[in-house]
Amino acid sequence: MPQLSQDNQECLQKHFSRLSIWTQFLPLFRAQRYNTDIHQITENEGDPRAVPDIKQMGSERMEMRKRQMPAAQDTPGAAPGQPGAGSRGSNACCFCWCCCCSCSCLTVRNQEDQRPTIASHELRADLPTWEESPAPTLEEVNAWAQSFDKLMVTPAGRNAFREFLRTEFSEENMLFWMACEELKKEANKNIIEEKARIIYEDYISILSPKEVSLDSRVREVINRNMVEPSQHIFDDAQLQIYTLMHRDSYPRFMNSAVYKDLLQSLSEKSIEA
């Protein structure tokens, strides 16, 4: 093997001793070696689909770094962990550029979404449940059999009738009627709008499990008026449900055990007195 002269050896040593030369050739050597290994693995397995696309993975990582670098440069004076003007929150996931973690923007959004929900719960608590009333007298219970209006005019009568409706799984009719009565007493516009929305979601919406039975004409009128609801927005619907309870449920209530047991107990007490 021929040997180089001393001048040529010194020239080559001086040339290859530079760091820049090695930094240029080293990636090529590594890439050639890596491609050789991948080619060998492909031949052994016989399935080219088993080898990942190295170029595609490399391009995705480079694209990720390009996106992260401008985000960090846009906020040079931002404190650590504080999101800048052009960056995501500090808790953003590093594997994708969406807020898949609990970042600050989602926290603020959740707080804003909870504000009307809290107000709705407070107003729902104001809607009627069981009415407080003294025990009915024998005369009052006898008057209930005379007309449906006399039954509905007293709290004790409404409570007894509501107890019967619960056995027939139609208590929502009385709840809707009572909610409409409470809405008529309001004078504040904001409270009227919020209570009207709650009543609509609970008793008018077709998605509600407590939906009352209304015809299409009444529903269309309510839907139009929900843009600017008033305390009388459900008057037609309330009258329709009142008529339904009068014609359908009231006759069965008069023959029910709820009414007969109450009438009998009051009669026995009056005899003993």
Side-chain angles (χ1 to χ4, degrees):
M1 179 177 180
Q3 297 181 354
L4 297 176
S5 63
Q6 185 176 359
D7 295 338
N8 291 336
Q9 290 180 2
E10 292 178 356
C11 182
L12 289 175
Q13 184 177 1
K14 181 179 180 181
H15 183 73
F16 283 101
S17 63
R18 297 177 182 176
L19 182 60
S20 60
I21 298 298
W22 288 107
T23 56
Q24 292 178 5
F25 283 98
L26 185 58
L28 297 178
F29 294 153
R30 289 179 178 177
Q32 183 177 5
R33 181 179 178 183
Y34 189 77
N35 291 334
T36 303
D37 295 341
I38 293 297
H39 182 68
Q40 184 176 2
I41 294 174
T42 306
E43 290 180 352
N44 294 336
E45 295 182 357
D47 186 8
R49 293 177 295 178
V51 182
D53 193 349
I54 305 301
K55 294 183 179 180
Q56 184 176 0
M57 293 175 61
S59 62
E60 291 179 356
R61 293 182 179 178
M62 291 300 296
E63 186 67 18
M64 180 80 63
R65 292 179 181 179
K66 289 180 181 180
R67 291 179 179 177
Q68 293 176 352
M69 290 175 63
Q73 293 175 358
D74 290 341
T75 58
Q82 180 179 1
S87 64
R88 302 284 182 179
S90 60
N91 294 329
C93 185
C94 58
F95 294 100
C96 61
W97 205 242
C98 63
C99 295
C100 60
C101 301
S102 57
C103 59
S104 58
C105 61
L106 292 180
T107 304
V108 174
R109 182 177 299 177
N110 291 335
Q111 293 176 354
E112 293 178 353
D113 293 341
Q114 289 176 359
R115 290 175 184 175
T117 305
I118 295 174
S120 299
H121 286 323
E122 292 177 353
L123 290 177
R124 276 189 168 92
D126 295 337
L127 293 179
T129 54
W130 290 103
E131 298 180 87
E132 296 182 0
S133 65
T137 63
L138 180 60
E139 291 76 11
E140 289 179 345
V141 175
N142 285 325
W144 298 349
Q146 297 175 8
S147 68
F148 183 63
D149 295 337
K150 292 183 178 181
L151 169 69
M152 294 291 288
V153 77
T154 61
R158 291 191 295 268
N159 286 335
F161 186 56
R162 178 179 171 184
E163 183 180 355
F164 166 74
L165 293 177
R166 177 175 292 183
T167 62
E168 292 196 337
F169 304 99
S170 58
E171 184 186 12
E172 64 275 3
N173 292 331
M174 176 62 75
L175 293 175
F176 171 69
W177 186 89
M178 295 170 63
C180 294
E181 288 295 306
E182 291 294 325
L183 180 62
K184 293 177 183 179
K185 301 176 183 178
E186 293 293 341
N188 187 290
K189 182 179 179 182
N190 294 331
I191 297 180
I192 290 174
E193 291 179 354
E194 187 64 20
K195 281 193 173 183
R197 183 186 63 82
I198 293 174
I199 293 174
Y200 184 91
E201 292 177 355
D202 289 347
Y203 305 108
I204 308 299
S205 174
I206 60 175
L207 301 178
S208 174
K210 298 185 294 183
E211 177 195 4
V212 295
S213 179
L214 299 172
D215 58 36
S216 59
R217 180 190 63 83
V218 174
R219 289 183 179 275
E220 290 176 0
V221 173
I222 293 175
N223 291 334
R224 288 197 303 266
N225 294 334
M226 280 299 294
V227 179
E228 293 183 1
S230 67
Q231 61 266 44
H232 300 286
I233 184 175
F234 301 111
D235 283 0
D236 292 342
Q238 185 186 20
L239 177 60
Q240 194 170 95
I241 295 301
Y242 187 89
T243 305
L244 177 64
M245 291 189 297
H246 182 194
R247 296 178 178 177
D248 185 59
S249 302
Y250 174 67
R252 292 197 299 272
F253 169 72
M254 299 309 302
N255 295 321
S256 66
V258 175
Y259 177 74
K260 290 182 178 181
D261 292 346
L262 178 60
L263 183 62
Q264 182 178 359
S265 63
L266 293 176
S267 300
E268 293 175 355
K269 290 181 180 180
S270 64
I271 295 174
E272 292 176 359

